[in-house]
């Protein structure tokens, strides 16, 4: 939100229903084809002790037709649910967003590692500030990891963090800088971080304590692939929330998409080994434990902008239904243009995503205050992406005179 039959006519064209000719009532003796008599009947297929020629096999046309009908039926069983689902998404994209379904000035931007490792300078912060001042962005998720597989985070991973934070506060007063901490989980391969280990979870909390001490105003957790129902992740969030709230900081997470159909993650996980989606109930459990939850509403396997926009509208509604009023809900916008399995750049566009967000918000909770969008990611964004975000979401439309 991604793979010939011949008809049964023998090659020699002969029929298989041949029988020996009836005996001549006048002449009882058989003649050989060469004109010689055959008094012993050695060439007679019906004579005792002789072997009849093997029949020529054929595959009746009716059997082939039956097989084709069965194949067509199975294909229809597979395609009809898909066509129905895609039609439903197209319908989700219809209509007009409600007035006022625009920025609440709670938007966020994911920033790459270059901002804390020394590649970016104060001059870069000034350029970024000029771009962001007229928008609704109030949080920056700065990549300060990744975590080691044991949950630790070396200080050498973010050597210029203090300088960045000071520059952002100088240029963009009121904008929070959160540390984006992520890692690959060992849920679908033997290599990765293991949340089931208490020592690993404790190390992640210690890493969060480190980045708060370095001046970050929050911890943004991004662990993937995280399967729906993972209780160890909920336990980790409980521990992190205790830490961040004691420090007056923010706890946020990057969240998987919600099942587009009930229990779809179970079906997809069984078929592919990668569940991808969370149940709506599990999404709500995560949302109740954090201050912000940002849905990674891209990489959706949708082939057209209208279907992708409808998918985002559906995801927005599903997330709004279970996210408490006290939690910021942010819907991800695709500020990148790779083409890979699950993501088509021509389909997953910022205009389609913003329209989908506004439609979902309009239908479900148009007055929700703690709501926004999250832009992924700064280093891949184009001017067209920024323009679509500003014009379709961040700008206040002129009032009619």
């Amino acid at each position: 939100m991604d793979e010939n039959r011949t008809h049964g006519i023998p090659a020699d064209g002969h029929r298989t229903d041949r029988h020996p000719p009836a005996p001549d009532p006048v002449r009882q003796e058989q003649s050989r084809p060469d004109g010689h008599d055959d008094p012993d009947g050695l060439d007679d297929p019906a004579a005792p002790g002789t072997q009849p020629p093997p029949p020529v096999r054929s595959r009746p046309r009716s059997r082939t037709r039956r097989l084709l009908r069965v194949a067509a039926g199975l294909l229809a069983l597979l395609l009809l649910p898909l066509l129905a689902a895609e039609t439903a998404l197209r319908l989700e994209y219809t209509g007009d967003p409600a007035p006022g379904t625009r920025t609440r000035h709670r938007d966020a931007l994911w920033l790459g590692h270059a901002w804390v490792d020394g590649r970016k300078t104060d001059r870069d912060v000034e350029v970024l500030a000029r771009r962001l001042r007229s928008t609704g962005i109030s949080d920056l998720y700065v990549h300060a990891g990744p975590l080691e597989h044991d949950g630790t985070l070396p200080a050498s991973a973010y050597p210029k963090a203090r300088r960045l934070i000071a520059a952002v506060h100088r240029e963009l007063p009121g904008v929070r800088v959160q540390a984006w901490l992520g890692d690959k989980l060992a849920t679908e391969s033997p290599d990765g971080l293991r949340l089931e280990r208490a020592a690993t979870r404790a190390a992640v909390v210690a890493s969060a304590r480190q980045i708060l001490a370095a001046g970050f105003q929050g911890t943004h957790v991004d662990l993937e692939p995280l399967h729906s129902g993972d209780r160890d992740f909920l336990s980790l969030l409980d521990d992190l929330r205790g830490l961040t709230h004691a420090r007056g900081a923010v706890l946020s997470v990057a969240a998987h998409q919600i099942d587009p159909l009930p229990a779809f993650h179970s079906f997809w996980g069984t078929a592919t080994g990668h569940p991808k989606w969370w149940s709506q109930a599990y999404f709500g459990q995560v949302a109740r434990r954090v201050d912000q939850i940002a849905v990674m509403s891209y990489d959706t396997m949708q082939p057209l902008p209208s279907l992708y926009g409808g998918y985002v509208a559906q995801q927005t509604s599903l997330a709004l239904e279970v996210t408490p009023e006290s939690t910021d809900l942010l819907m991800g916008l695709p500020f990148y243009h790779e083409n890979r399995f699950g993501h088509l750049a021509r389909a997953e566009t910022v205009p389609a995503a913003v329209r989908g967000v506004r439609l979902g918000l309009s239908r479900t909770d148009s007055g929700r205050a703690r709501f926004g969008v999250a832009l992924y990611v700064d280093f891949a964004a184009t001017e067209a992406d920024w323009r679509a975000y500003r014009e379709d979401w961040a700008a206040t439309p002129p009032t009619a005179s």
Side-chain angles (χ1 to χ4, degrees):
M1 286 289 219
D2 235 181
E3 309 166 20
N4 300 319
R5 291 185 173 86
T6 56
H7 294 288
I9 301 177
D12 60 5
H14 293 175
R15 292 174 56 86
T16 59
D17 56 353
R18 292 181 298 169
H19 296 282
D24 189 332
V26 177
R27 183 178 178 182
Q28 298 298 318
E29 293 182 326
Q30 282 293 116
S31 298
R32 292 167 57 97
D34 58 3
H36 297 284
D37 290 338
D38 182 25
D40 297 326
L42 296 177
D43 291 337
D44 183 356
T50 63
Q51 295 294 326
V56 179
R57 296 183 180 275
S58 67
R59 288 176 293 174
R61 292 175 183 268
S62 59
R63 179 170 176 266
T64 301
R65 286 196 292 268
R66 284 198 300 271
L67 291 174
L68 290 173
R69 284 198 295 269
V70 170
L74 292 174
L75 184 62
L77 287 176
L78 292 174
L79 291 180
L80 284 177
L82 176 62
L83 292 174
E86 295 294 82
T87 300
L89 293 182
R90 184 62 184 86
L91 292 174
E92 290 273 3
Y93 199 59
T94 59
D96 296 317
T101 51
R102 292 179 178 266
T103 187
R104 276 83 164 124
H105 300 281
R106 293 179 178 271
D107 303 335
L109 170 65
W110 277 284
L111 293 175
H113 201 79
W115 293 92
V116 294
D117 67 5
R119 284 176 287 169
K120 296 289 188 179
T121 66
D122 287 359
R123 173 62 179 160
D124 294 307
V125 176
E126 293 171 6
V127 173
L128 178 66
R130 284 198 296 272
R131 185 184 291 280
L132 300 187
R133 283 194 186 103
S134 60
T135 68
I137 292 175
S138 60
D139 282 278
L140 302 176
Y141 303 144
V142 185
H143 191 269
L147 296 166
E148 299 293 327
H149 288 345
D150 63 0
T152 60
L153 178 67
S156 59
Y158 50 95
K160 305 299 182 181
R162 288 187 181 276
R163 189 183 74 181
L164 168 71
I165 295 166
V168 170
H169 289 170
R170 182 174 63 251
E171 298 293 334
L172 293 166
V175 172
R176 291 179 298 203
V177 184
Q178 300 189 44
W180 169 12
L181 300 180
D183 194 20
K184 171 188 172 184
L185 293 176
T187 50
E188 297 173 13
S189 71
D191 183 43
L193 187 146
R194 296 184 177 276
L195 282 176
E196 68 272 18
R197 296 176 179 172
T200 300
R201 298 196 302 274
V204 174
V205 174
S207 297
R209 187 177 295 110
Q210 284 179 224
I211 55 95
L212 295 179
F216 286 101
Q217 297 162 284
T219 302
H220 179 72
V221 181
D222 177 17
L223 300 174
E224 305 176 45
L226 182 61
H227 293 180
S228 184
D230 192 316
R231 304 298 304 178
D232 296 315
F233 183 60
L234 298 181
S235 176
L236 174 64
L237 292 180
D238 289 336
D239 294 339
L240 288 172
R241 184 180 179 90
L243 169 67
T244 54
H245 284 203
R247 302 292 181 90
V250 179
L251 175 60
S252 61
V253 295
H256 288 37
Q257 298 158 29
I258 300 173
D259 277 337
L261 298 170
F264 194 69
H265 71 278
S266 297
F267 162 76
W268 193 259
T270 300
T272 68
H274 173 54
K276 182 177 174 65
W277 292 270
W278 287 352
S279 72
Q280 189 183 38
Y282 186 69
F283 186 97
Q285 291 177 312
V286 173
R288 289 192 291 274
R289 287 171 163 82
V290 298
D291 302 300
Q292 291 180 333
I293 185 165
V295 185
M296 296 180 285
S297 41
Y298 33 76
D299 296 343
T300 64
M301 296 183 285
Q302 295 304 317
L304 300 171
S306 58
L307 298 178
Y308 171 61
Y311 184 92
V312 173
Q314 180 197 57
Q315 287 290 308
T316 301
S317 292
L318 291 170
L320 282 168
E321 290 170 358
V322 292
T323 302
E325 296 281 351
S326 58
T327 300
D328 289 345
L329 171 62
L330 309 181
M331 302 303 297
L333 302 185
F335 272 45
Y336 65 104
H337 302 272
E338 303 173 21
N339 286 295
R340 60 176 186 238
F341 177 75
H343 177 81
L344 290 177
R346 62 177 172 78
E348 297 194 7
T349 66
V350 175
V354 170
R355 176 174 166 77
V357 167
R358 295 186 64 200
L359 287 168
L361 182 62
S362 300
R363 294 169 182 148
T364 311
D365 192 354
S366 62
R368 175 75 68 106
R370 302 183 72 98
F371 184 88
V373 296
L375 289 47
Y376 180 85
V377 57
D378 75 299
F379 55 80
T382 66
E383 288 300 323
D385 295 331
W386 283 107
R387 184 168 58 252
Y389 162 69
R390 287 194 304 267
E391 294 176 358
D392 298 346
W393 177 256
T396 302
T399 56
S401 58

